[in-house]
């Protein structure tokens, strides 16, 4: 049975930055987009265990900038519940698409695909060009970003 998690919208000033830094290691980049973000947090026993930020990028198009669950609470369905909540709430805003960028391999790719996201493009060398410190997953340096899209109204 999954834990009783409460998901709420929070202001960008209340979002747990430490959780977001697990998904986006650049505090400078976080501080750049958080003020224009719609933010959500997942709470377990009053403590934040998950967080995410979404920004509008075009008319009826939004981007999930980052989503993260505290390491001690991963693999318990909290991230999936948080993402489904975000998809529903952004859909209520009239969104036609929700996009996300992620590494070209790893568990994140399958995480998004399980929720109905489909690969829509590749941004070659994104992580090399946009992060001063190299990012590694499973001992492999991230280079390319896959852009995935959730299309509202289309079957997955």
């Amino acid at each position: 049975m999954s834990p009783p998690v409460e998901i709420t919208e929070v202001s960008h000033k209340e979002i747990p930055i430490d959780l977001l830094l697990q998904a986006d290691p650049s505090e400078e980049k976080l501080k750049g987009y958080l003020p224009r973000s719609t933010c959500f947090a997942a709470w377990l026993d009053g403590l934040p265990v998950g967080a995410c930020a979404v920004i509008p990028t075009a008319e009826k198009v939004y981007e999930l900038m980052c989503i993260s669950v505290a390491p001690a609470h991963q693999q318990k369905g909290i991230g999936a519940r948080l993402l489904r909540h975000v998809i529903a709430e952004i859909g209520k805003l009239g969104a036609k698409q929700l996009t996300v960028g992620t590494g070209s391999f790893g568990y994140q790719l399958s995480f998004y695909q399980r929720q109905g996201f489909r690969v829509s493009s590749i941004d070659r060398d994104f992580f090399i060009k946009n992060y001063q410190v190299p990012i590694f997953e499973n001992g492999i340096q991230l280079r390319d970003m896959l852009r995935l899209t959730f299309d509202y109204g289309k079957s997955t």
Side-chain angles (χ1 to χ4, degrees):
M1 183 173 193
S2 56
V5 173
E6 179 186 7
I7 300 172
T8 61
E9 185 173 335
V10 296
S11 80
H12 74 276
K13 293 178 181 179
E14 299 170 317
I15 196 76
I17 297 286
D18 58 325
L19 286 175
L20 295 181
L21 284 168
Q22 293 176 56
D24 186 340
S26 171
E27 190 167 353
E28 181 180 326
K29 289 186 185 309
L30 277 171
K31 288 181 178 179
Y33 62 73
L34 280 178
R36 63 184 196 276
S37 297
T38 301
C39 300
F40 298 91
W43 307 88
L44 181 62
D45 297 327
L47 298 173
V49 295
C52 69
V54 180
I55 63 167
T57 57
E59 186 175 344
K60 299 187 180 196
V61 178
Y62 294 79
E63 181 173 358
L64 177 65
M65 297 300 291
C66 60
I67 183 169
S68 181
V69 173
H73 298 282
Q74 292 177 359
Q75 302 297 312
K76 297 178 182 178
I78 295 170
R81 288 168 57 193
L82 179 57
L83 182 54
R84 284 192 301 269
H85 182 86
V86 169
I87 290 169
E89 292 301 306
I90 297 302
K92 290 176 187 176
L93 299 175
K96 292 205 181 285
Q97 290 184 328
L98 177 61
T99 66
V100 65
T102 192
S104 55
F105 58 88
Y107 70 91
Q108 299 94 332
L109 182 57
S110 59
F111 169 74
Y112 294 119
Q113 289 175 323
R114 280 193 303 273
Q115 300 306 320
F117 285 79
R118 303 277 312 269
V119 175
S120 51
S121 65
I122 300 171
D123 190 343
R124 293 183 57 81
D125 290 328
F126 176 87
F127 293 103
I128 304 295
K129 295 174 186 171
N130 291 285
Y131 288 87
Q132 293 178 342
V133 177
I135 301 171
F136 287 86
E137 281 192 29
N138 301 321
I140 302 169
Q141 185 175 358
L142 285 179
R143 297 182 62 91
D144 304 325
M145 176 190 280
L146 291 183
R147 177 102 11 226
L148 292 93
T149 302
F150 180 92
D151 286 313
Y152 289 87
K154 289 188 178 179
S155 59
T156 54

